[in-house]
Amino acid sequence: MAIKGAIVFDVEHCKGCGVCIPTCPNQVIAFSKNVNNKGYNYAEAVNDNCIGCTSCAMVCPDGVITVYKVKL
Amino acid sequence: MFNPDIIKPENLVYKRTSVLTDNVMHYCPGCGHGTIHRLIAEVIEEMGIQEKAICVAPVGCSVLAYNYFDVDSQGAAHGRAPAIATAIQRLYPDNHTFTYQGDGDLAAIGTAETIHACNRGENIVMIFVNNGIYGMTGGQMAPTTLIGMKTATSPYGRDVALNGHPLKITELLADLPGTYYVTRQSVQNAASVRKAKKAIRQAFENQKAKKGTSFVEVVSNCNSGWKMTPVAANKWMEENMFPFYPLGDMKVDGQKVSK
Amino acid sequence: MAKELKLMKGNEAIAEAAIRSGCDGYFGYPITPQSEVMEHLMAEKPWEKTGMVVLQAESETASINMVYGGAGAGKKVMTSSSSPGVSLMQEGMTYLAGAELPCLLVNVVRGGPGLGTIQPSQADYFQTVKGGGHGDYRLFTLAPATVQEMYDFVFLGWEMAFKYRNPVMILSDGAIGQVMEKLYVTDYTPRWTNEEIAEKCPWSTYGKPSTRKHNIITSLELEAPKQEEHNHKLQAKYAKMEEDEVRYEMVNCEDAEYVFVAYGSSARIAEKAVQLGREKGIKVGLLRPITLFPFPKKIIAELSTKVKGLLAVEMSAGQMVEDVRLAAQFRCPIEHFGRFGGVIPTPHEVLEALEEKIIKA
């Protein structure tokens, strides 16, 4: 049985602190080259290796990450 | 990027708690305050005590904490949160009054209120965020600033001869008979966040059982004040703050934890 | 309402009135000459009778902030102290005023400055009616002259505090606090239920039901225009008090050529001086301000057009006299007589001062 996850960022509320990036076990997250309306290079998912572990959401100070998980 | 079939309500495993308001927190990017706020709010939501929770916010970086918790709140004068919470909780003994204070507020100007509320065993939850610096006023020396640590008012590093010693107030509070639960936590990675949340939950559960004062210190970062990136600040905290402020429970169920 | 006659100290009357007026919480710290307030409360154990909370705090700073917490949560809460302790409470008072929290404060004034004396004084007038703490604010200030008024003004204090969402100060002194007199006490007024608090104080932080937004008690507003607006609101409230709530008493003023203006203990002494003056054929009366803020400006202005002189009698070096002069606009001679540092003047001294400073001058 495989586990698949997905993360959704509230881009406009992300401050681009990057605390979520090293906490991801599968290197799913990186800074975007784009900026949000506040000028922050927000965090975004760069691959679909997410396993829905919620580690990124745990450490996000602004609670901008929503996490989904399915068992396939 | 992701299979859209995954992103469905039935697959949701984590979303921002509704006990936080929609206001954007004013904290600097990467500041631990946001995470600690979130954990408190999550515990309030999970325990179903939003209607009974009353937040007493401090003066300092978290002065506007009441804008973020969707619970009835009071803003305290600098350092006086434990006195304010004492009265609220005594007047509403079935409520969940909690204080949220930084190191300057709790361990410098409000030391007397802190110690006496704890020593009376007030049935309140006290959250103490220790980042070793005065963030709001621009990075001055705090009672918890480490020896040698540079701040705006200790620009050559904290010198014991000039500035005295950093205060381990949590250790001091663990020795008071009124405290029921005293712990030191952190929120720099997922594992520590989970532990910190468990500790905050324990504190509110103790309050529900009317056990006396539960005190949760969270050693946190101040990347702006420390002049580092958030990730570097968390690393610096692990290397420098934790040896002086070791993590873990100091007092559980009214009993000191022997190390 | 049934009334019962008792013999009590002024300080005890404050405490008894607290219990009987439905007070929810008293938070204090011992200081002479008002320690009987908390002593009486602790002896009476009101938590068993009415559910009232009584707590001896670690300092006046803590006491006043406990009042802030309780008042912010919609409860009828109070503290009492004496001058040095009240100085320590000034921080809390400006926060209470800024956050518009109803509460009752009692100052049983002793001689200052500094640690001063433990004897009666009225030298905290400026501190009380001109602010005391920082920022533009006012305390609604009541000045009792008898033990009965110490009792009654607790009830009146709650009424004013909640009517205006403002701290109320009972400005007493060591003599009124310590003197034993007979007084009538009333039946127990029940404390408000939490439902009543939610109804009467919808702004308070008693715990947010899902039906409303969260309430926030604070005196902080980072945007200057909003803070100015808040100040305008406060000033309008103070102006309304000045319009509607002035209280005073007049003794033998109908035909008076001279009038003493005195409050609290000084008013009692001045009243005797009125008698002595009348015996000597001097047409003298007494105006006793009962509210010090709002100050009875209109009646003083009126008197100043009719009399040959006003003598402010205070146990201070001359504080209230400034407000008398402002109100009277120098339309007649206005002088001050005071003993201070804990010394109480005699009626003879007061009459002599009138003769020397106004009649002969």
Side-chain angles (χ1 to χ4, degrees):
Chain A
M1 192 175 66
I3 291 173
K4 260 331 236 185
I7 46 176
V8 178
F9 289 86
D10 178 353
V11 169
E12 286 310 321
H13 286 154
C14 176
K15 293 173 182 163
C17 72
V19 171
C20 55
I21 296 171
T23 203
C24 177
N26 286 354
Q27 291 80 46
V28 175
I29 311 167
F31 286 122
S32 174
K33 290 190 176 62
N34 299 321
V35 295
N36 62 16
N37 284 337
K38 288 197 171 145
Y40 291 120
N41 289 97
Y42 52 85
E44 63 180 9
V46 291
N47 58 53
D48 70 347
N49 296 335
C50 177
I51 53 166
C53 73
T54 73
S55 288
C56 54
M58 283 293 116
V59 298
C60 175
D62 293 280
V64 306
I65 307 172
T66 307
V67 186
Y68 300 87
K69 183 159 96 171
V70 284
K71 288 172 185 169
L72 299 170
Chain B
M1 182 63 59
F2 299 109
N3 182 344
D5 286 347
I6 303 176
I7 303 170
K8 283 178 177 166
E10 62 267 32
N11 298 332
L12 182 74
V13 287
Y14 185 86
K15 74 172 175 68
R16 196 171 191 269
T17 168
S18 63
V19 176
L20 288 177
T21 62
D22 292 333
N23 296 326
V24 179
M25 294 192 216
H26 69 280
Y27 302 114
C28 302
C31 174
H33 273 307
T35 311
I36 302 161
H37 282 21
R38 195 163 48 71
L39 298 186
I40 295 167
E42 285 174 8
V43 165
I44 290 171
E45 183 181 18
E46 286 162 20
M47 288 178 68
I49 55 172
Q50 189 175 9
E51 297 194 10
K52 288 174 178 284
I54 297 172
C55 167
V56 184
V59 169
C61 283
S62 45
V63 66
L64 296 173
Y66 49 66
N67 285 339
Y68 310 131
F69 293 109
D70 190 20
V71 302
D72 276 357
S73 304
Q74 295 195 15
H78 201 16
R80 316 299 175 218
I84 290 171
T86 291
I88 300 172
Q89 190 62 29
R90 283 191 180 230
L91 290 161
Y92 292 92
D94 295 327
N95 276 26
H96 284 274
T97 313
F98 67 97
T99 58
Y100 188 101
Q101 299 176 268
D103 39 59
D105 196 81
L106 181 140
I109 194 166
T111 310
E113 285 77 10
T114 299
I115 288 177
H116 285 280
C118 287
N119 201 44
R120 286 191 302 263
E122 297 297 340
N123 192 35
I124 57 176
V125 173
M126 297 179 69
I127 308 291
F128 167 42
V129 181
N130 175 11
N131 56 14
I133 203 161
Y134 284 78
M136 174 62 83
T137 43
Q140 296 83 8
M141 187 183 70
T144 51
T145 295
L146 299 174
I147 294 166
M149 193 171 158
K150 288 180 181 172
T151 71
T153 51
S154 58
Y156 308 106
R158 183 178 193 145
D159 172 5
V160 169
L162 181 64
N163 308 114
H165 295 272
L167 177 60
K168 292 186 178 184
I169 194 156
T170 307
E171 277 81 349
L172 197 154
L173 297 174
D175 276 333
L176 302 178
T179 51
Y180 186 74
Y181 177 54
V182 180
T183 187
R184 182 181 285 130
Q185 302 289 331
S186 67
V187 291
Q188 82 283 13
N189 57 40
S192 64
V193 167
R194 289 192 173 93
K195 269 192 200 165
K197 182 172 171 183
K198 217 175 136 196
I200 293 167
R201 173 75 187 242
Q202 186 60 54
F204 279 94
E205 292 288 356
N206 292 340
Q207 186 182 38
K208 195 174 189 178
K210 299 190 166 37
K211 294 291 189 183
T213 312
S214 289
F215 188 92
V216 181
E217 173 179 343
V218 183
V219 180
S220 190
N221 59 355
C222 178
N223 45 74
S224 295
W226 297 353
K227 305 186 195 317
M228 297 174 197
T229 65
V231 174
N234 280 339
K235 190 159 179 287
W236 188 90
M237 176 174 73
E238 288 174 347
E239 289 168 359
N240 296 277
M241 296 281 278
F242 293 174
F244 190 77
Y245 298 112
L247 304 182
D249 292 339
M250 290 178 214
K251 197 175 194 179
V252 176
D253 295 344
Q255 300 298 316
K256 287 273 300 267
V257 175
S258 50
K259 289 266 162 69
Chain C
M1 193 179 269
K3 288 189 172 186
E4 191 187 336
L5 190 62
K6 289 198 180 255
L7 180 67
M8 278 189 170
K9 283 189 170 193
N11 291 333
E12 292 165 346
I14 291 277
E16 191 62 28
I19 301 170
R20 288 172 184 259
S21 63
C23 176
D24 295 301
Y26 171 94
F27 306 92
Y29 186 81
I31 184 171
T32 308
Q34 66 78 53
S35 294
E36 293 85 357
V37 179
M38 194 174 8
E39 288 171 7
H40 186 80
L41 287 169
M42 288 296 188
E44 288 295 313
K45 296 203 268 190
W47 50 91
E48 290 178 358
K49 286 182 195 161
T50 70
M52 176 183 172
V53 169
V54 186
L55 182 62
Q56 179 168 340
E58 64 270 31
S59 67
E60 286 88 352
T61 305
S63 312
I64 194 74
N65 281 285
M66 289 171 182
V67 167
Y68 180 99
K75 295 280 186 176
K76 280 185 181 172
V77 287
M78 64 183 291
T79 187
S80 65
S81 189
S82 180
S83 310
V86 174
S87 290
L88 205 48
M89 289 183 180
Q90 291 304 318
E91 175 199 54
M93 290 186 193
T94 171
Y95 280 71
L96 284 159
E100 295 191 87
L101 299 184
C103 61
L104 194 56
L105 316 167
V106 181
N107 184 357
V108 183
V109 182
R110 62 190 242 186
L115 209 45
T117 64
I118 57 169
Q119 284 80 20
S121 164
Q122 295 180 317
D124 295 359
Y125 177 90
F126 280 157
Q127 183 196 55
T128 311
V129 305
K130 307 292 180 189
H134 61 277
D136 276 324
Y137 76 91
R138 301 288 189 172
L139 302 178
F140 190 97
T141 306
L142 290 161
T146 61
V147 171
Q148 183 71 56
E149 282 189 341
M150 289 285 257
Y151 182 89
D152 294 343
F153 287 179
V154 169
F155 290 79
L156 179 59
W158 294 131
E159 190 189 326
M160 292 297 115
F162 283 88
K163 181 173 178 183
Y164 290 96
R165 264 191 76 176
N166 205 67
V168 170
M169 171 67 88
I170 295 179
L171 189 68
S172 182
D173 63 61
I176 306 290
Q178 290 297 327
V179 71
M180 278 189 113
E181 288 180 336
K182 64 179 182 186
L183 80 156
Y184 287 98
V185 298
T186 43
D187 279 348
Y188 291 86
T189 306
R191 290 168 52 239
W192 287 345
T193 61
N194 289 353
E195 290 71 31
E196 283 173 303
I197 289 170
E199 191 196 316
K200 290 174 200 285
C201 308
W203 44 265
S204 66
T205 62
Y206 51 87
K208 180 195 108 79
S210 54
T211 47
R212 67 157 165 82
K213 283 181 69 177
H214 64 153
N215 285 335
I216 298 171
I217 297 296
T218 181
S219 58
L220 175 71
E221 177 49 67
L222 290 172
E223 287 178 47
K226 282 191 186 168
Q227 186 61 28
E228 188 187 40
E229 195 183 307
H230 178 60
N231 269 272
H232 278 307
K233 185 183 161 208
L234 294 179
Q235 292 303 318
K237 184 168 83 173
Y238 305 146
K240 180 103 173 95
M241 291 176 189
E242 294 205 273
E243 196 56 38
D244 295 350
E245 306 296 351
V246 172
R247 285 165 170 79
Y248 57 85
E249 184 191 24
M250 289 168 98
V251 180
N252 290 359
C253 284
E254 301 78 18
D255 62 340
E257 293 178 342
Y258 305 97
V259 170
F260 296 123
V261 185
Y263 68 92
S265 292
S266 291
R268 296 171 65 137
I269 297 159
E271 191 171 349
K272 182 66 188 174
V274 168
Q275 282 178 22
L276 296 175
R278 293 268 167 182
E279 282 165 17
K280 286 178 79 175
I282 303 170
K283 287 184 175 176
V284 58
L286 166 68
L287 173 72
R288 176 170 80 94
I290 292 172
T291 52
L292 296 179
F293 182 85
F295 193 66
K297 292 176 188 171
K298 282 182 192 163
I299 186 67
I300 290 173
E302 211 176 285
L303 283 172
S304 69
T305 61
K306 295 179 187 164
V307 301
K308 294 180 183 168
L310 297 169
L311 183 70
V313 182
E314 306 171 70
M315 292 190 286
S316 77
Q319 300 191 11
M320 182 189 66
V321 66
E322 293 190 4
D323 284 336
V324 176
R325 285 186 175 127
L326 281 170
Q329 298 283 323
F330 295 93
R331 281 178 289 248
C332 67
I334 301 149
E335 295 296 337
H336 167 261
F337 174 70
R339 297 294 304 269
F340 32 93
V343 177
I344 303 173
T346 65
H348 290 281
E349 277 180 305
V350 171
L351 183 63
E352 200 179 298
L354 176 71
E355 291 174 305
E356 292 299 320
K357 292 184 175 213
I358 295 183
I359 299 176
K360 286 182 191 164

